[in-house]
Amino acid sequence: MALTMLTHVLSTYIDILFCLIIGMLSIKTILNNNFIGRVFSLLKAVVTSFCASAIFILPFVEQEYTGIFSQPAPMKVSFYASPLFNVVKSMLNNNLFGNYNWGGDEAFTVGFIGLVVLVVGGIVFSHFSKLGECQECCVKKETSPA
């Protein structure tokens, strides 16, 4: 988490949100299996993560409280958004560059391979059992020695 924070702060917020969602989805398992030990391990992980990322957090907090920063000019993001049909069309055309002329109907996409990954990923994900969906996506199962 500390390395993610040093590279991209928004990704850190997304990671934290993802961990909270997974924690809420698995709350029943957490409560039934060694609750005190899991909470203690979580606290150790939080303290370690905070200490490892203190090189970023402490100067950031100091600048937020002592620095005077003006608000950037507002930008209407929806002006640059592309309709879903244009996004799919650009994926099928394998157009990676998107709206390079800002006047066409092209959209920024990951190309045809991205469309294939989305479709195949959705098909494979739908075959997971309801109990194993979170585990398969978030935690690699440990294999026990035979």
Side-chain angles (χ1 to χ4, degrees):
M1 188 70 76
L3 293 177
T4 304
M5 183 178 286
L6 289 173
T7 58
H8 197 247
V9 177
L10 181 59
S11 296
T12 305
Y13 292 130
I14 293 170
D15 289 348
I16 291 170
L17 180 65
F18 183 74
C19 289
L20 289 174
I21 290 171
I22 296 302
M24 285 187 280
L25 289 175
S26 59
I27 193 74
K28 185 176 179 182
T29 305
I30 293 171
L31 291 175
N32 291 337
N33 297 327
N34 192 12
F35 177 72
I36 301 297
R38 288 179 187 264
V39 169
F40 184 66
S41 295
L42 177 65
L43 288 175
K44 288 192 298 187
V46 167
V47 169
T48 303
S49 179
F50 179 79
C51 290
S53 55
I55 192 171
F56 175 82
I57 293 174
L58 297 178
F60 178 78
V61 169
E62 186 266 336
Q63 286 296 314
E64 279 294 315
Y65 284 116
T66 60
I68 299 172
F69 302 104
S70 60
Q71 182 177 359
M75 181 175 109
K76 189 170 183 170
V77 179
S78 63
F79 175 75
Y80 299 104
S82 298
L84 180 61
F85 176 75
N86 291 347
V87 173
V88 173
K89 186 175 79 170
S90 292
M91 286 175 135
L92 290 173
N93 289 334
N94 206 25
N95 182 5
L96 302 176
F97 297 109
N99 245 346
Y100 52 86
N101 59 4
W102 297 104
D105 61 349
E106 303 292 329
F108 288 108
T109 66
V110 291
F112 183 71
I113 299 298
L115 182 63
V116 170
V117 167
L118 286 172
V119 170
V120 171
I123 292 169
V124 170
F125 186 76
S126 67
H127 292 299
F128 288 158
S129 68
K130 294 297 179 195
L131 178 63
E133 284 180 3
C134 295
Q135 294 171 349
E136 292 292 331
C137 290
C138 305
V139 180
K140 288 187 175 184
K141 292 183 179 179
E142 295 181 21
T143 57
S144 59

